[in-house]
Amino acid sequence: MRTSQPMQHPRKILILGGTTEARQLAGRLADRRELDIVLSLAGRTVDPVRQPVPVRSGGFGGAEGLARHLQAEDIELLVDATHPYAAQISKNAAAAAASTGVPLIALRRPAWQPVEGDRWTEVEDADSAVAALGLAPRRVFLALGRQEIAAFETAPQHDYLIRSVDPVEPPLGVPSAEYILARGPFPEAAERALLEEHRIDVIVAKNSGGSATYGKIAAARTLGIEVILFRRPEPPAAQTAEDVDGAVAAIDHWLAGASERGV
């Protein structure tokens, strides 16, 4: 007589998201019955893109709050797929994983690297970027989040073009600022047309990596425009995947190990 094997419960995975890769990873895993996926978003975007798995929105209350959540929800694997500049969230994820013993995989896209023709100035933060712009009036394209642009009020001599997903409220307190609401990806040809139309002298951006927002970097190279880039924060140590395929492979490896251990 054949004995039926007990069904394994779906493995609970929490993905800390907010990036294109997080959404793509969730989509790759959504239909796998052996997995129970929840995607966590910070909740800062007014109209977030629709996600392929259940979504949790809002913060956790630091590393201790995240650790409590992992234990309360019986999370078996934590995936940090946040933005490369979400440094505090990544630190919290590493600390929570360490304190609870929950395995952590970090999906970190590689940074852009300068190539011939690039005119890059690297800075630590928004205040350093303001200083790098100099005193002479310039036409500046701010491709930054809403949290970073307030520092540029201290340099009202420049003309600003500001692009964001959500409206900048309150508007930047400078005499000349134009706003564009848009969500990437941004192709190189469209970025080149934008830079030419607005006669941009300099771009201020983060070294986000990936292809979705690289168009402005390539367009600036073609047009000989300076780019001021925020340096990336140093991430905490973790098992790392550079792309969605690598993250799926790492999850499959973890899953196989968990099955062998019978947990």
Side-chain angles (χ1 to χ4, degrees):
M1 182 176 178
R2 187 175 181 181
T3 303
S4 61
Q5 296 294 324
M7 276 192 74
Q8 294 274 1
H9 69 276
R11 306 292 182 180
K12 298 189 75 171
I13 299 177
L14 177 65
I15 301 175
L16 305 179
T19 59
T20 299
E21 289 86 352
R23 184 177 72 254
Q24 292 172 343
L25 177 61
R28 290 276 293 273
L29 303 175
D31 294 332
R32 295 178 56 169
R33 291 185 294 176
E34 75 274 28
L35 301 177
D36 180 3
I37 309 294
V38 173
L39 179 62
S40 176
L41 301 177
R44 295 193 184 103
T45 302
V46 174
D47 185 23
V49 174
R50 185 174 180 180
Q51 305 292 340
V53 297
V55 171
R56 179 197 180 279
S57 183
F60 292 95
E64 292 182 358
L66 176 54
R68 288 193 295 269
H69 180 84
L70 296 178
Q71 293 175 320
E73 297 298 322
D74 296 320
I75 300 299
E76 297 172 82
L77 177 67
L78 179 63
V79 179
D80 177 11
T82 57
H83 194 275
Y85 288 81
Q88 189 58 56
I89 298 174
S90 292
K91 289 178 182 177
N92 291 346
S99 67
T100 59
V102 173
L104 170 66
I105 296 171
L107 174 49
R108 295 176 182 154
R109 64 177 88 130
W112 299 320
Q113 298 299 323
V115 300
E116 185 177 354
D118 283 328
R119 295 176 54 206
W120 288 8
T121 300
E122 292 188 303
V123 297
E124 294 298 329
D125 53 28
D127 290 334
S128 301
V130 171
L133 287 175
L135 298 177
R138 306 176 76 179
R139 298 186 64 83
V140 183
F141 178 27
L142 294 182
L144 297 170
R146 290 178 295 170
Q147 293 78 24
E148 292 87 15
I149 67 170
F152 293 86
E153 289 187 345
T154 62
Q157 70 272 28
H158 304 301
D159 295 322
Y160 294 101
L161 175 67
I162 302 167
R163 182 167 67 194
S164 60
V165 174
D166 296 318
V168 175
E169 297 291 350
L172 198 65
V174 295
S176 178
E178 183 175 349
Y179 300 87
I180 299 174
L181 293 181
R183 193 193 303 270
F186 302 107
E188 179 182 349
E191 295 288 74
R192 187 167 60 248
L194 179 73
L195 297 175
E196 290 180 318
E197 176 187 352
H198 291 273
R199 296 178 287 113
I200 296 299
D201 299 316
V202 56
I203 298 171
V204 183
K206 295 177 178 178
N207 190 335
S208 299
S211 59
T213 60
Y214 187 71
K216 64 179 175 289
I217 304 298
R221 183 188 310 126
T222 300
L223 298 173
I225 292 174
E226 180 187 0
V227 179
I228 297 174
L229 283 178
F230 288 25
R231 289 190 184 92
R232 281 193 178 192
E234 189 66 29
Q239 179 185 353
T240 303
E242 292 189 348
D243 54 27
V244 173
D245 286 342
V248 171
I251 291 169
D252 285 340
H253 182 75
W254 165 80
L255 187 63
S259 298
E260 289 174 3
R261 293 189 298 271
V263 297

